[in-house]
Amino acid sequence: MSKDSVKLLNIWPSMFGLRVHYALDLKGVSYDYQEESLSNKSKELLEANPIYTKIPVLIHNGKPICESLVIVDYIDSVWPGSHKLLPEDPYEKAVARFWADFGDKKLYDAGNQLIQAMGEEHKKAGEDFKWALMKIDEALGTIAPGKPFFGGDAMNFADVGLAPFICRFKGYQKVGGFVLPGPEEWPNLYKWVDAINSVDAIKKSTPSPDEVAEFAEVLRKRVLGAA
């Protein structure tokens, strides 16, 4: 759809990078991909993001955009197309932004602690992660009752922000010891997960849960070995 020069700098296990993949693929934007190494960052990455020197970075016509949700917002503005991610209504837009940000503030840190922490910290991480998923289940039932996505019948900004956590669930369970309640307790969450996993644009870039779990296992062993 686009003849622009579009390039994504990322590493494959990054949930933040997945957000960018998802947004681009939902829009049908063609782009080049460059796999980075966090232990040996490319000159291009360091020059594109000199403040944080982190992935993901989207380079559009030579101009870098950093931070995953900022990038998704940018993509939605530049390529509005037929799949608009942010609603036009100001309140609905604010709600979508809130839940995307919720993933960063509540799910991400708790999930990391599930993989890396021990003892009481690990126990608390499990409680925090369960609480966060419960709130997502409740929100889906309130914001889009009877619908599969936060965006109703199609994915929106909140869905793109939260969807990358799904491929990490196996790692959280297998490596982090998290016990995921069943669909009878969280029916909206399970419906959402099934709907996300059925979207072709999501399948295109999502790594397998087994690969992500293996990566989590390596990370946990590395952290425990350094403790």
Side-chain angles (χ1 to χ4, degrees), residues 77-92:
S77 298
V78 175
W79 296 282
S82 60
H83 195 126
K84 188 68 176 164
L85 297 175
L86 278 167
E88 293 297 332
D89 180 81
Y91 178 75
E92 292 178 1

Side-chain angles (χ1 to χ4, degrees), residues 39-200:
S39 61
N40 185 24
K41 298 176 182 179
S42 71
K43 180 181 179 182
E44 188 171 17
L45 173 60
L46 296 176
E47 290 179 348
N49 190 0
I51 304 299
Y52 296 120
T53 67
K54 296 191 305 184
I55 51 87
V57 176
L58 185 74
I59 302 176
H60 179 214
N61 291 335
K63 298 177 180 179
I65 305 95
C66 308
E67 298 296 291
S68 63
L69 293 180
V70 174
I71 298 171
V72 173
D73 193 342
Y74 177 86
I75 291 168
D76 199 39
S77 298
V78 175
W79 296 282
S82 60
H83 195 126
K84 188 68 176 164
L85 297 175
L86 278 167
E88 293 297 332
D89 180 81
Y91 178 75
E92 292 178 1
K93 183 182 294 184
V95 169
R97 290 186 187 279
F98 175 89
W99 285 104
D101 184 64
F102 180 86
D104 288 354
K105 288 187 167 65
K106 297 299 182 181
L107 278 177
Y108 182 71
D109 288 344
N112 273 359
Q113 287 295 92
L114 275 173
I115 301 300
Q116 301 181 36
M118 298 287 288
E120 287 301 314
E121 288 185 357
H122 182 270
K123 180 181 178 182
K124 183 177 186 305
E127 294 169 352
D128 291 346
F129 195 76
K130 183 176 181 179
W131 176 87
L133 290 180
M134 178 185 69
K135 291 302 175 183
I136 291 173
D137 178 79
E138 292 174 356
L140 284 162
T142 302
I143 296 168
K147 300 292 185 178
F149 303 108
F150 275 93
D153 292 320
M155 290 179 67
N156 74 358
F157 192 85
D159 295 296
V160 170
L162 293 169
F165 287 99
I166 294 173
C167 66
R168 294 183 162 214
F169 282 174
K170 187 167 188 176
Y172 294 140
Q173 294 175 87
K174 182 179 178 182
V175 182
F178 181 72
V179 178
L180 186 68
E184 65 283 349
E185 185 170 345
W186 291 341
N188 301 313
L189 180 71
Y190 275 82
K191 182 179 181 179
W192 177 74
V193 168
D194 288 344
I196 293 289
N197 286 336
S198 70
V199 176
D200 288 338

Side-chain angles (χ1 to χ4, degrees), residues 207-220:
S208 78
D210 287 330
E211 289 177 323
V212 177
E214 289 173 9
F215 178 82
E217 182 68 45
V218 171
L219 180 60
R220 181 167 178 80

